Amino acid sequence: YFRTKTTGSRTFLASMVLEEWGADVMTADDFLKDNVEEYALITKIMASMKTLSVGIVLLKADETDILTQETLSKVANQSMRIKGIEAAFVIGYTAHRQVKVSARSNGEVNVQVILEKVGGGGHQASSAALFKEKTVAEVEELLEETINQNLSNARVIGAKKG
């Protein structure tokens, strides 16, 4: 039932405890599945993937789609499952004229450094930024420029691949 390579000993320990308390693994697995509409939306955004630099990709939702923060995060996480991707930046509306960027990294690129330049923040491997009164296209242009100007400073020397 564990589908990602991020499953570690703590995951199995938590699973054992939950099972001891009567949790049904099949029910939990079913609960964590995406619905058809969200899966289709994630797939559509994944198809928009554009390479900005070796290992650095940008994905964006259509101008007509309003997404949840969770969906943006799922797209970013899904992107990181592709071999050779070091960092992914996903852009989409989360409300009218409110655009969010969700970024993930395998540890070789500090996405926090890049998103702090546009008013966001987070952690080295997981960061976000919120833009009000902007369009997806405007944020895409700003983000591309920021990545191009700051990527060399955001590279982590001696990083272990995540």
Side-chain angles (χ1 to χ4, degrees):
Y1 303 109
F2 301 102
R3 297 189 179 120
T4 67
K5 62 182 177 178
T6 59
T7 303
S9 60
R10 290 184 356 188
T11 305
F12 290 106
L13 179 60
S15 176
M16 287 177 15
V17 169
L18 289 171
E19 192 171 17
E20 285 176 10
W21 289 354
D24 179 12
V25 176
M26 296 299 285
T27 301
D29 184 58
D30 194 49
F31 179 74
L32 295 172
K33 290 179 181 174
D34 295 329
N35 65 40
V36 173
E37 293 82 9
E38 184 178 35
Y39 179 80
L41 186 56
I42 290 169
T43 302
K44 183 168 80 169
I45 298 167
M46 289 292 293
S48 77
M49 187 179 293
K50 170 167 86 170
T51 302
L52 301 180
S53 180
V54 175
I56 311 301
V57 296
L58 184 137
L59 305 92
K60 66 177 182 174
D62 287 347
E63 292 277 347
T64 57
D65 292 327
I66 304 287
L67 312 171
T68 64
Q69 290 182 210
E70 293 79 15
T71 301
L72 279 174
S73 296
K74 287 178 182 181
V75 174
N77 291 339
Q78 184 73 21
S79 301
M80 294 309 303
R81 297 182 68 195
I82 299 172
K83 191 175 201 163
I85 293 183
E86 298 171 2
F89 297 84
V90 184
I91 306 169
Y93 284 110
T94 54
H96 179 67
R97 300 279 300 168
Q98 180 174 293
V99 178
K100 185 163 184 183
V101 175
S102 184
R104 297 292 184 276
S105 167
N106 67 354
E108 293 183 54
V109 175
N110 186 334
V111 291
Q112 177 184 2
V113 167
I114 292 170
L115 289 187
E116 281 180 347
K117 301 288 184 191
V118 295
H123 303 283
Q124 178 176 324
S126 178
S127 292
L130 181 66
F131 301 87
K132 295 185 178 184
E133 299 302 319
K134 296 274 188 193
T135 66
V136 167
E138 290 169 337
V139 172
E140 177 183 17
E141 185 178 328
L142 174 65
L143 188 59
E144 280 191 48
E145 183 180 306
T146 304
I147 291 168
N148 290 334
Q149 291 176 355
N150 296 283
L151 183 58
S152 60
N153 294 332
R155 293 227 176 250
V156 179
I157 309 286
K160 292 182 181 180
K161 291 183 181 180

